[in-house]
Amino acid sequence: MAARTARPSLYISVDIEADGPIPGPYSMISFGASVAGRQDGASYTAADPEQHTFYRELRPISEEFVPGALAVSGLDRDRLVREGTDPAVAMTEFRAWVRDVSAGAQPVMCGYPASFDWTFLYWYLIRFGADSPFGHSGCLDMKTLYATKARVPLRAAVKGRMPRALLSRRRHTHHALDDAIEQAELMSNLMLWTPPVPEPDAERSPRITHLSWGRIEAEGLAPGKDLRLYPGGGRPWDWSEHGTRHEPGVQPQEVREFLDLGVTAVVLGRGMEKRLGIARQTLEVLRAAGVEVHVAETTAAVEVYNRLAATERVAGLFHSTC
């Protein structure tokens, strides 16, 4: 029997705005869609993301809402109650649009992150019409696509750490159609992207091989009293560069360069007697970027760092005296 030829895939970027975290108790209040491109075998062709689009604002399905979630979209919920499209009508129109633009191809919803947008979209398609043109699993997560191609952990797959050339020049406005178009461009850029192949071990964080009072040694580096280590290397840690002192402690600028390297974890050694402080703003910078933070006496910090260096893009600041 001859092998069955797979149909081409048509990728449709979808963005939704909601007034709460889950569908049912809360409502999808708007959604936008944009055709990103078509994949036929190994060939991907990007589309003009403004050429084929769909947008609706919906009447809420319950009286429950989370004010903070509603505020993200800037939509007037009272107006939507009066003027929003009936969800059943909107889903019927959306199914017809998807099937029209994907004629001859298999439609695939893509989102950033798909986990949130797909949850609402699929629930609405089944609740209001019991039919999804994407099937029950026809979705692709752009964060996962980037993490796989870039070979980084999923928590490092954020726009702030992606190469600038991958990102759309359009603003992310939290208007569902604007964002669907912006992310359609990201989708096409990811599909067409061939990441550079790093040299073996070129991006590995160097392990610390020795620690004693006043001396730290790490792979490939000269010994020092204080070291700054990161994927691909390290250097002496000069406190005066960014104004770090024992109090108030490690300054935010000390860790900002780590974020540009796409690290997933940062280890901060407080000294052998834990006299080095960590400024509150420094921890806020790291946590806001989704980076795992470890703070410990330097001997314990070295143990944590070396363990993470075996599997993660980890960076660290290490002080070998008080």
Side-chain angles (χ1 to χ4, degrees), residues 203-209 216-219 221 227-234 258 263 265-269 294 296-318:
E203 290 298 307
R204 185 172 62 84
S205 301
R207 292 181 67 256
I208 296 172
T209 57
I216 308 178
E217 298 177 16
E219 295 172 327
L221 300 173
L227 287 184
R228 170 190 296 273
L229 303 177
Y230 41 80
F258 295 156
V263 301
V266 170
V267 180
L268 302 175
H294 299 269
E297 174 270 326
T298 298
T299 301
V302 167
E303 293 178 1
V304 172
Y305 171 85
N306 279 344
R307 174 172 53 81
L308 294 174
T311 58
E312 299 212 28
R313 293 180 63 81
V314 60
L317 298 171
F318 300 97

Side-chain angles (χ1 to χ4, degrees), residues 67-91:
L70 180 63
V72 170
S73 69
L75 293 173
D76 184 332
R77 198 171 191 278
D78 291 337
R79 181 182 64 80
L80 294 177
V81 170
R82 298 190 309 270
E83 302 174 5
T85 302
D86 180 275
V89 173
M91 293 301 105

Side-chain angles (χ1 to χ4, degrees), residues 54-121:
F54 184 95
Y55 177 71
R56 293 293 185 275
E57 295 179 358
L58 307 179
R59 187 173 68 235
I61 60 173
S62 80
E63 295 185 0
E64 299 295 321
F65 67 95
V66 177
L70 180 63
V72 170
S73 69
L75 293 173
D76 184 332
R77 198 171 191 278
D78 291 337
R79 181 182 64 80
L80 294 177
V81 170
R82 298 190 309 270
E83 302 174 5
T85 302
D86 180 275
V89 173
M91 293 301 105
T92 298
E93 294 172 341
F94 181 61
R95 288 187 200 92
W97 178 83
V98 171
R99 290 179 170 128
D100 179 55
V101 298
S102 64
Q106 175 65 44
V108 178
M109 177 272 188
C110 52
Y112 184 97
S115 55
F116 180 78
D117 299 272
W118 174 255
T119 297
F120 273 90
L121 182 68

Side-chain angles (χ1 to χ4, degrees), residues 166-193:
L166 290 178
L167 303 177
S168 171
R169 294 183 179 180
R170 303 171 190 268
R171 292 178 56 238
H172 193 83
T173 65
H174 293 291
H175 181 284
L177 183 56
D178 288 349
D179 293 352
I181 292 172
E182 175 225 343
Q183 288 165 184
E185 290 190 341
L186 173 61
M187 175 64 187
S188 289
N189 291 342
L190 285 170
M191 290 293 287
L192 296 169
W193 180 49

Side-chain angles (χ1 to χ4, degrees), residues 184-255:
E185 290 190 341
L186 173 61
M187 175 64 187
S188 289
N189 291 342
L190 285 170
M191 290 293 287
L192 296 169
W193 180 49
T194 301
V197 178
E199 297 179 11
D201 294 334
E203 290 298 307
R204 185 172 62 84
S205 301
R207 292 181 67 256
I208 296 172
T209 57
H210 172 82
L211 172 68
S212 59
W213 186 276
R215 184 181 178 90
I216 308 178
E217 298 177 16
E219 295 172 327
L221 300 173
K225 180 173 74 74
D226 300 318
L227 287 184
R228 170 190 296 273
L229 303 177
Y230 41 80
R235 65 179 189 273
W237 179 18
D238 179 1
W239 288 20
S240 66
E241 183 178 354
H242 298 300
T244 286
R245 302 186 181 190
H246 283 94
E247 292 296 337
V250 177
Q251 295 298 295
Q253 198 58 35
E254 299 280 15
V255 300

Side-chain angles (χ1 to χ4, degrees), residues 34-37 45-53 170 181 184-185 188:
S34 163
V35 173
T45 303
D48 175 354
E50 294 186 343
Q51 184 174 0
H52 297 293
T53 63
R170 303 171 190 268
I181 292 172
E185 290 190 341
S188 289

